[in-house]
Amino acid sequence: MAGRRVAQLSTTFRRSVIALGLHPGSPGFRAVFAAVASLAKTDELPGAADDETLFAPGRAFVRRVSGRNVWILYRFDDDHVFALTTRGAPPVPVDD
C-alpha cells in the first residue's frame, strides 16, 4: 500500500504507556508515540522484526520501541493502524 495509514489509539493505550512509568512529555513517552507514527507511515506491515502474539479477541502484532523495554501491540488494515496497548516485557510469539 502506498501512502500513509491513519493511526488510531485504543481508549486505554495512553494509560498503558503511563502505567509503564513513561509520563507525558518524557523521552520514553515521546518514543512510544513516535513508534506509533512510524507504524502509520510504513508501507509494509507487519515489519520484518515484528512478531504476532495472542491478544483477545484473536491476535495482534508486536513492535518493540527502539531503545526501550516497551512493546506496542497493534493491528492494521489497508487504511488504519490500531495501537491496542503497550507491554513492559516481550509478549510470547505465536507459532503457526
Side-chain angles (χ1 to χ4, degrees):
M1 169 186 157
R4 179 182 173 102
R5 291 178 176 88
V6 175
Q8 294 189 320
L9 306 179
S10 73
T11 57
T12 59
F13 185 82
R14 186 174 186 273
R15 279 185 274 172
S16 75
V17 176
I18 293 169
L20 294 175
L22 304 174
H23 299 286
S26 71
F29 189 89
R30 289 193 307 268
V32 169
F33 285 88
V36 171
S38 177
L39 285 168
K41 290 177 188 175
T42 189
D43 287 337
E44 293 191 32
L45 287 178
D50 296 349
D51 285 314
E52 194 172 15
T53 191
L54 295 176
F55 187 77
R59 297 178 177 194
F61 292 97
V62 181
R63 166 83 48 106
R64 183 173 185 213
V65 177
S66 181
R68 304 278 172 183
N69 193 29
V70 178
W71 284 259
I72 298 170
L73 278 70
Y74 72 93
R75 294 185 179 123
F76 67 95
D77 61 24
D78 287 342
D79 300 316
H80 301 89
V81 61
F82 305 95
L84 305 169
T85 193
T86 57
R87 298 281 191 256
V92 176
V94 174
D95 291 329
D96 282 331

